[in-house]
Structure formats: C-alpha cells, structure tokens
C-alpha cells in the first residue's frame, strides 16, 4: 500500500481540522501520509490535493473504535514510522449531575479506546522500523478540569495517561511517545459538533478572543515535534493562544 523507502505517517481523524492540517504538514516534510477517518469523501479529496501538489498520500476510510477494522488496516501497511492519534472530540457541556452517560461513553471510546486500538495495532510496525513515533493529541483538558467539561475532561485525562504510561512501558525500544496538548483551537467543526450543530452557541466559545489557535498552529507544532532528531522526545507540549492563561481564564475583547 505504501512506497518502500519513504517514511510513512498515519493520521487518524484526518478529514478536517487539526488532522487535515497535520497531514499537509507531514506531507510537506517528506512523509507518505496515510489519511484515515470515517468520512471517505473528505480524506479522498485531501489525498488528491496532496498528490496534485507532488506529495505522497493515501486515503483509508476507518472508524478507530472498530478494532477488527483497525487490525485489518494495520495489516494493509507495508510500514509505519509515525502514528498521529488525532481522532477525538467533545460532546455537550452539561454538568456532571445531568450529563448524558452515552455522551461520556462515546467520548471515551473515540478519544481513548480509539487511540488504544491504533497504537496497539501499529506498535509492532513502529518498533520493527527502528525509529517510530507515537503522537497522542490530548488537550489542556487532559491536565486540568473546568465546569461543564466533565466528560471531555475525563476522556482527555485518559488520553494523557495513555501517553504517559506507554512511554514508561516501552522505554528502551526505538519508539518515541509524544503528547501535544492544545488549548483553545478554533476549527470549523469542533465546537459545532460539541453543541450538535448549534452554531450560535459554538460561536460564543470564541467570542471576543482576538486570535485563538488555528488547526495550522497545532499541526505546525505536531510536525515540529515529529521531525526532531530521533533521540529527542517531546514528552508533553502544551500550546495555547496568548489570550488564554488557563482553561477557565481567557481574555476577551467584548
């Protein structure tokens, strides 16, 4: 499926936002990018864009919560040098007292179990290649909590712990484990998905914030971390917009 000799980077959740931007960044850095997401049309369009620009790209429709499908995908690869676990997202902003357990379960399945599935399936290839990198895209929500974020915070804490534990367990192998934890990022879908299509409520998340992070900002950070010399491991990198001092303290020009 992939070209021998060219390093391969698998990006999950590559159909939009940070995932798509990361695919562009790693493709420009010389990787054959393998784009995975559930929305086949989106990743095929992005792959065509990258190929037209002279890069190597392949699209593979995949639901990271479907373990047999993930295993089948892993078996289709000739090699894997980088895995960017980007697939994830938030649902709702209800307090713990009234939060929907189904939302919590779905967030945990995608943000944690999805990353676990792809990491387990691709770790043998990452290790056998002699210079592998696993990237976990967590969030500042994985480091501290905020009101109304219980389910998402719990899921991203799980992603953070996955990265931290894996790094301890595989030390001594030729695989790095990098965690990138973004703060406020304004993408076309994150807040809208969280609030189930309520664009007015989604817009309020960023109201008055002069310059929230963009998908390109985070992708640039991921690409920088991945392309460090192989003996350099960026254990945890927190990136926020200047206007955000913490999850709950944001400067708004209203």
């Amino acid at each position: 499926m992939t070209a021998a000799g060219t390093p391969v980077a698998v990006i999950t959740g590559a159909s939009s936002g940070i995932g798509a931007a990361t695919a562009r960044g790693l493709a420009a850095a010389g990787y054959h990018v393998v784009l995975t997401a559930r929305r086949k049309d989106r990743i095929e369009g992005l792959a065509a864009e990258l190929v037209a620009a002279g890069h190597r790209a392949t699209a593979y429709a995949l639901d990271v919560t479907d373990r047999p499908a993930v295993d089948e995908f892993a078996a289709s690869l000739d090699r894997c040098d980088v895995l960017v676990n980007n697939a994830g997202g938030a649902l709702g902003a209800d307090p713990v007292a009234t939060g929907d357990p189904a939302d919590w379960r779905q967030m945990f399945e995608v943000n944690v179990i999805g990353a676990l599935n792809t990491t387990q399936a691709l770790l043998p290839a990452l290790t056998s290649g002699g210079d592998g990198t696993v990237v976990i895209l967590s969030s500042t929500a994985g480091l501290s909590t905020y009101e109304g974020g219980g389910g998402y915070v719990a899921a991203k804490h799980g992603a953070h712990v996955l990265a931290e534990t894996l790094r301890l367990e595989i030390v001594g192998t030729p695989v790095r484990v990098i965690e990138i934890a973004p703060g406020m990022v304004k993408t076309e879908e994150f807040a809208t998905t969280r609030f189930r299509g309520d664009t007015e409520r989604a817009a309020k998340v960023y109201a008055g914030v002069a310059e929230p992070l963009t998908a390109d900002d985070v992708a640039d950070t991921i690409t920088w971390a991945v392309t460090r010399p192989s003996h350099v491991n960026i254990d945890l990198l927190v990136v926020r917009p200047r206007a955000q001092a913490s999850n709950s303290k944001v400067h708004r020009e209203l």
Side-chain angles (χ1 to χ4, degrees):
M1 177 180 177
T2 51
T6 302
V8 172
V10 173
I11 301 105
T12 69
S15 57
S16 66
I18 294 170
T22 300
R24 293 186 178 98
L26 290 177
Y31 287 88
H32 179 152
V33 292
V34 180
L35 318 174
T36 74
R38 290 174 299 175
R39 293 180 292 185
K40 184 179 179 182
D41 58 329
R42 289 284 195 99
I43 54 175
E44 286 182 341
L46 177 56
E49 170 200 317
L50 293 172
V51 170
H55 304 306
R56 295 181 180 273
T58 304
Y60 192 107
L62 182 67
D63 179 350
V64 296
T65 67
D66 182 341
R67 184 54 185 264
V70 171
D71 289 339
E72 183 178 348
F73 164 68
S76 76
L77 295 176
D78 298 323
R79 65 183 288 178
C80 181
D81 302 275
V82 175
L83 167 62
V84 180
N85 284 300
N86 166 74
L91 288 174
D94 298 317
V96 172
T98 57
D100 186 344
D103 286 347
W104 283 56
R105 188 174 295 110
Q106 185 173 342
M107 285 186 281
F108 195 85
E109 283 287 336
V110 177
N111 289 283
V112 183
I113 302 302
L116 177 66
N117 285 340
T118 53
T119 299
Q120 287 183 337
L122 291 170
L123 194 57
L126 289 160
T127 305
S128 65
D131 189 14
T133 300
V134 176
V135 178
I136 303 290
L137 192 74
S138 62
S139 166
T140 54
L143 306 175
S144 61
T145 191
Y146 57 92
E147 294 166 290
Y152 181 63
V153 167
K156 285 304 186 182
H157 270 69
H160 167 66
V161 169
L162 189 160
E164 194 170 49
T165 307
L166 178 64
R167 191 180 303 115
L168 292 172
E169 291 173 344
I170 66 171
V171 66
T173 71
V175 179
R176 302 181 295 180
V177 181
I178 295 170
E179 180 184 354
I180 306 296
M184 179 182 285
V185 185
K186 186 177 183 179
T187 64
E188 66 268 29
E189 294 185 326
F190 179 82
T192 303
T193 299
R194 182 172 203 166
F195 298 120
R196 295 179 170 81
D198 187 336
T199 55
E200 183 176 345
R201 191 176 180 190
K204 290 180 180 178
V205 173
Y206 312 103
V209 181
E211 292 183 282
L213 295 179
T214 67
D216 287 339
D217 292 328
V218 181
D220 184 54
T221 302
I222 294 169
T223 301
W224 175 83
V226 167
T227 56
R228 293 312 84 207
S230 60
H231 71 286
V232 177
N233 194 91
I234 308 301
D235 282 18
L236 170 62
L237 196 160
V238 176
V239 53
R240 303 181 193 266
R242 186 174 64 190
Q244 184 183 33
S246 73
N247 288 346
S248 57
K249 189 171 182 62
V250 179
H251 176 67
R252 300 179 187 271
E253 300 173 359
L254 298 174

